[in-house]
Amino acid sequence: MSKNVRFWGLAALLLLISLMGTLVLAQDEPLVLQDFEGDAEIIEVYQVEGSIEAGVLSEVSTEGEWHTIGVVFSGAPVDVSSYGEFCFDINDSTAARSTVGVKLFDASGANQEKWTDHEGVGVNPKTATGEWVTMCLNLSAFTDIDLTTLEHVEFAMFAAGTYQFDNLIAQAATDDPAATPEATEEPINLEDMMLQLTTVQGFEAGEPFYENYQAEELALATDVVNSGSSSLMMTSPAGEWHAFGTNPEPRPFDASGYDVICFSVYDTTANNNGLADNSIGVRLFDTNLIDQEAWTDHVGAGDNPKTVTNEWVQMCINLDLYQNIDLTQVDKIQFSVYWAGTYYVDDVAFGKWVPKPAEGDLVQGFEAEDTYYAHYQAETSLSTEIFHSGASSLMATSSEGEWHSFGAYPEPRPFDASGYEKICFYFMDTTTNNNGLADNSVGVRIFDARLIDQEAWTDHVGAGDNPKTVTDEWVQMCINLDLYSNLDLTQVDKIEFSMYWAGTYYVDDVIFVPAAAE
């Protein structure tokens, strides 16, 4: 073979390799389907007005539910069959934290819709108020359309508001981010928990109620009440399905830190084989007028009884079921029943599951002077206005500085804690230094009669599961005595509490919890 032939053969091979590399690179580049930088054909599908402003598609709707806008792709029809994902950017003006419906159309008119949280489309965030968020859907999920002739897309949103869309592209498939191993939470053992309820409507005055559907008589009743002096009575003589509601106080109510919504209901009907035996629908509305309903017997609602004829029954629904609304802005609470008749509702509340209070031997309840002392940057006294039980608590106040400590003497003194496993106490924190919250842990230093001391904090490893402090609320905290291995626990002489921030704190009901019997 001549040198010239070998040379040109090698050159051709190098050129082929170069072209292949170029093709691979080109395939990796995203395909811009619509960037709204020029003319774009907008399709106002349902309850929207659309426009292109500053290089983005704006969808505006002022009322109603479900809103859909579409846009034709540049150079349609386009072939996206060699790409892995359809992506877009969205900016949501509402507070709904929404998913997005994405309906793709091919040139024949065939279409298929997937939502950004559907199985198989990939992992997507929800929208964020006033922020651009990128969402991508696996094109392999769209099996009913011709991806070689993609023509346009429609975006569907539930809540009215303003939405902006930009950067519609097809791109190579990306690996979903490795799932962060989720902490495998133990199911709540309700035997060890109790509901801490915050009542938002007790129907004690005024007209905190409204009629929605076939609820012909609404009034406060004073003859049938669960607590207080009155309840809400709803009577309807005929028809099927009846709905009525109330407003929380304060309104709107921030229920984001709660686990359940609870209420008590008194059902006078007997349509189910001589029994009441009904479940109740509870619809929550937020200030964006977005609403969602769950029933007391729905899967995931929680274990609820049915109603009992002429008896008060408490029911609770897990707030996890209300994922479409803004629980920080609960504006209305609406009840639904099927049968006509008379019903009473009382004590509407939001609840948190909290550990049942530990029980043990009280060593200090701060019912007298000479039961406490100040140690560092704290002024101490008995408070007869704020206490957990009895007639008084220990109040510690400081106006400035960092680190503050104050203590209590056990009764009897010294106290033999050798047969106990925990020290517990109730603590109220009035500070708001942690982003507007109290949210503090508490240091507990124990002294024995030899003046040897050791400190542990409520959030230390091995202390036990403790909440942080909550502004202006009593919280019980416990520390395992195993952490005090340097002390003679048969001779506990002083118990001292430490806080970082200046402010006012209250302590009450210091107890030792006996070790569980083997």
Side-chain angles (χ1 to χ4, degrees):
M1 181 181 293
S2 70
K3 291 182 179 180
N4 286 339
V5 171
R6 288 198 301 270
F7 171 79
W8 288 113
L10 179 61
L13 179 61
L14 290 173
L15 178 61
L16 178 60
I17 293 173
S18 174
L19 288 173
M20 289 176 65
T22 302
L23 287 173
V24 169
L25 289 174
Q27 194 175 27
D28 286 340
E29 290 295 318
L31 172 63
V32 176
L33 302 174
Q34 185 57 259
D35 59 8
F36 305 105
E37 297 301 326
D39 292 336
E41 183 181 346
I42 299 172
I43 307 169
E44 296 176 342
V45 180
Y46 185 68
Q47 294 195 125
V48 295
E49 293 183 1
S51 62
I52 297 175
E53 302 172 4
V56 300
L57 171 64
S58 291
E59 171 201 314
V60 178
S61 51
T62 57
E63 59 184 2
E65 300 173 350
W66 303 114
H67 310 271
T68 306
I69 195 165
V71 65
V72 176
F73 295 132
S74 301
V78 292
D79 182 357
V80 299
S81 59
S82 63
Y83 294 86
E85 296 176 340
F86 170 74
C87 302
F88 61 96
D89 296 337
I90 180 171
N91 190 318
D92 180 352
S93 71
T94 76
R97 303 191 304 278
S98 298
T99 56
V100 183
V102 178
K103 185 180 289 189
L104 295 178
F105 291 74
D106 65 25
S108 72
N111 61 83
Q112 188 172 8
E113 185 178 56
K114 294 286 183 179
W115 283 73
T116 51
D117 61 349
H118 274 181
E119 183 177 356
V121 302
V123 178
N124 282 295
K126 291 190 176 181
T127 61
T129 306
E131 297 181 12
W132 283 101
V133 173
T134 300
M135 299 184 177
C136 294
L137 294 84
N138 293 328
L139 286 167
S140 59
F142 293 86
T143 57
D144 296 342
I145 60 175
D146 182 1
L147 293 176
T148 68
T149 62
L150 213 58
E151 201 265 345
H152 74 272
V153 63
E154 292 180 359
F155 297 106
M157 307 299 298
F158 178 80
T162 298
Y163 303 90
Q164 294 180 312
F165 298 89
D166 200 4
N167 300 324
L168 279 54
I169 64 170
Q171 67 177 22
T174 57
D175 293 330
D176 286 337
T180 303
E182 295 184 4
T184 54
E185 296 183 4
E186 292 289 332
I188 293 177
N189 183 356
L190 298 186
E191 292 183 358
D192 298 330
M193 308 294 284
M194 59 178 285
L195 265 180
Q196 186 178 79
L197 294 174
T198 300
T199 300
V200 296
Q201 188 52 256
F203 304 105
E204 295 302 311
E207 295 187 356
F209 50 81
Y210 63 90
E211 182 272 338
N212 177 255
Y213 183 70
Q214 292 196 132
E216 297 188 10
E217 181 183 348
L218 285 172
L220 294 185
T222 57
D223 55 339
V224 179
V225 298
N226 186 60
S227 71
S229 59
S230 55
S231 67
L232 172 61
M233 178 184 70
M234 188 285 289
T235 298
S236 184
E240 298 171 351
W241 300 115
H242 312 270
F244 53 98
T246 186
N247 307 118
E249 295 177 0
R251 179 189 185 193
F253 182 80
D254 183 357
S256 58
Y258 293 84
D259 300 312
V260 295
I261 180 171
C262 300
F263 59 96
S264 293
V265 59
Y266 187 102
D267 182 350
T268 69
T269 69
N271 299 292
N272 293 309
N273 297 319
L275 305 175
D277 205 39
N278 291 305
S279 55
I280 307 292
V282 180
R283 185 180 297 273
L284 299 183
F285 295 75
D286 64 24
T287 52
N288 296 310
L289 300 182
I290 297 174
D291 64 272
Q292 190 171 1
E293 185 177 56
W295 282 73
T296 53
D297 60 351
H298 274 182
V299 173
D303 293 328
N304 282 298
K306 295 291 186 74
T307 61
V308 178
T309 305
N310 296 334
E311 290 186 17
W312 283 104
V313 174
Q314 186 186 59
M315 300 180 172
C316 298
I317 296 179
N318 292 327
L319 290 174
D320 288 345
L321 295 188
Y322 297 93
Q323 295 186 356
N324 294 343
I325 70 169
D326 181 1
L327 287 173
T328 69
Q329 299 284 321
V330 176
D331 189 59
K332 294 192 297 183
I333 303 162
Q334 189 167 294
F335 302 96
S336 297
V337 295
Y338 179 78
W339 299 107
T342 298
Y343 302 83
Y344 300 84
V345 175
D346 206 354
D347 299 329
V348 183
F350 288 94
K352 304 174 186 177
W353 286 109
V354 297
K356 288 180 179 177
E359 297 180 355
D361 294 332
L362 181 70
V363 297
Q364 191 50 257
F366 304 105
E367 298 302 313
E369 297 292 347
D370 301 324
T371 57
Y372 58 90
Y373 63 91
H375 176 249
Y376 183 69
Q377 294 195 124
E379 296 180 3
T380 53
S381 62
L382 293 183
S383 170
T384 58
E385 296 181 352
I386 297 175
F387 48 84
H388 180 260
S389 70
S392 56
S393 68
L394 169 60
M395 178 177 68
T397 301
S398 53
S399 58
E400 60 184 2
E402 298 171 351
W403 301 114
H404 312 270
S405 59
F406 44 94
Y409 302 113
E411 295 178 357
R413 179 189 183 195
F415 180 80
D416 183 357
S418 59
Y420 296 81
E421 65 178 2
K422 298 177 184 178
I423 180 172
C424 302
F425 55 93
Y426 279 91
F427 202 90
M428 179 183 284
D429 182 349
T430 69
T431 69
T432 56
N433 297 293
N434 293 310
N435 297 318
L437 304 175
D439 205 40
N440 291 305
S441 53
V442 180
V444 180
R445 185 180 297 274
I446 297 178
F447 296 74
D448 65 24
R450 302 169 301 169
L451 299 184
I452 296 175
D453 64 270
Q454 191 170 2
E455 185 178 55
W457 283 73
T458 53
D459 60 351
H460 276 181
V461 174
D465 293 328
N466 282 298
K468 294 291 186 74
T469 62
V470 179
T471 305
D472 296 333
E473 292 186 16
W474 284 107
V475 175
Q476 189 184 52
M477 299 177 168
C478 298
I479 296 181
N480 292 325
L481 290 175
D482 289 345
L483 296 188
Y484 298 92
S485 57
N486 296 340
L487 303 182
D488 179 4
L489 289 175
T490 68
Q491 298 283 316
V492 173
D493 187 63
K494 294 191 298 184
I495 303 160
E496 191 167 287
F497 303 94
S498 297
M499 300 301 296
Y500 178 79
W501 300 105
T504 299
Y505 305 92
Y506 300 84
V507 181
D508 207 354
D509 297 334
V510 183
I511 66 172
F512 283 93
V513 178
E518 294 293 336

